Amino acid sequence: MEESLYKRMGGYDAIAAITDDFLSALVNHPQMKRFFLGASESTRTRRRQYIVDFICNKTGGPCAYTGRTMKDSHKGLNISDSDWEILSGLFEQSLRKYGLAEKESGNLMDFITSLRSDILENS
């Protein structure tokens, strides 16, 4: 039996490193930084932890995700197709930067892509 995606990715530390790189790129992107304006340090830290826990949980890891659904978390943000393309591109760049193997990267991107309809409001 194949190991979970969580283990094949390198576990919690790998997910945290990928998330940190992704969020840094997202916050600094000219089109995407509007989603983070006015957020306090504690809010940014909490959001980061939700993302780490979500990915950890959904890839078969031991984390409990206690946040809202993807649809509820992104409601009212008016995330567009253009925003989605940037977001998914930056996430994929973080996977490559971290050196995640092609199979695991593909598996994780397939999962992220499956969330698209819950995250987008403004196609």
Side-chain angles (χ1 to χ4, degrees):
M1 179 161 77
E2 188 174 47
E3 286 187 315
S4 67
L5 179 54
Y6 172 81
K7 285 186 179 178
R8 291 185 288 126
M9 287 177 56
Y12 188 91
D13 290 344
I15 292 169
I18 291 164
T19 299
D20 289 342
D21 186 76
F22 167 66
L23 285 175
S24 176
L26 203 59
V27 167
N28 290 300
H29 190 281
Q31 182 174 325
M32 303 304 285
K33 65 183 175 185
R34 73 183 191 277
F35 296 113
F36 303 93
L37 295 175
S40 69
E41 184 68 31
S42 65
T43 296
R44 289 192 304 271
T45 299
R46 186 172 58 250
R47 284 180 186 162
R48 178 236 185 233
Q49 194 59 53
Y50 278 140
I51 294 168
V52 171
D53 289 346
F54 182 77
I55 295 172
C56 172
N57 178 270
K58 297 300 183 181
T59 58
C63 303
Y65 175 69
T66 59
R68 298 174 291 165
T69 65
M70 287 298 104
K71 193 171 224 34
D72 287 343
S73 297
H74 297 89
K75 187 176 183 173
L77 293 177
N78 296 315
I79 298 172
S80 67
D81 285 322
S82 173
D83 296 329
W84 176 262
E85 292 306 317
I86 292 166
L87 179 145
S88 58
L90 291 174
F91 191 77
E92 202 161 20
Q93 282 178 10
S94 293
L95 297 179
R96 279 195 304 272
K97 188 175 182 180
Y98 186 75
L100 198 60
E102 191 173 324
K103 178 182 178 182
E104 285 69 30
S105 181
N107 291 159
L108 190 53
M109 284 308 298
D110 288 346
F111 169 68
I112 297 300
T113 301
S114 77
L115 303 171
R116 186 179 188 278
S117 63
D118 286 341
I119 293 173
L120 256 67
E121 272 188 321
N122 199 15
S123 300

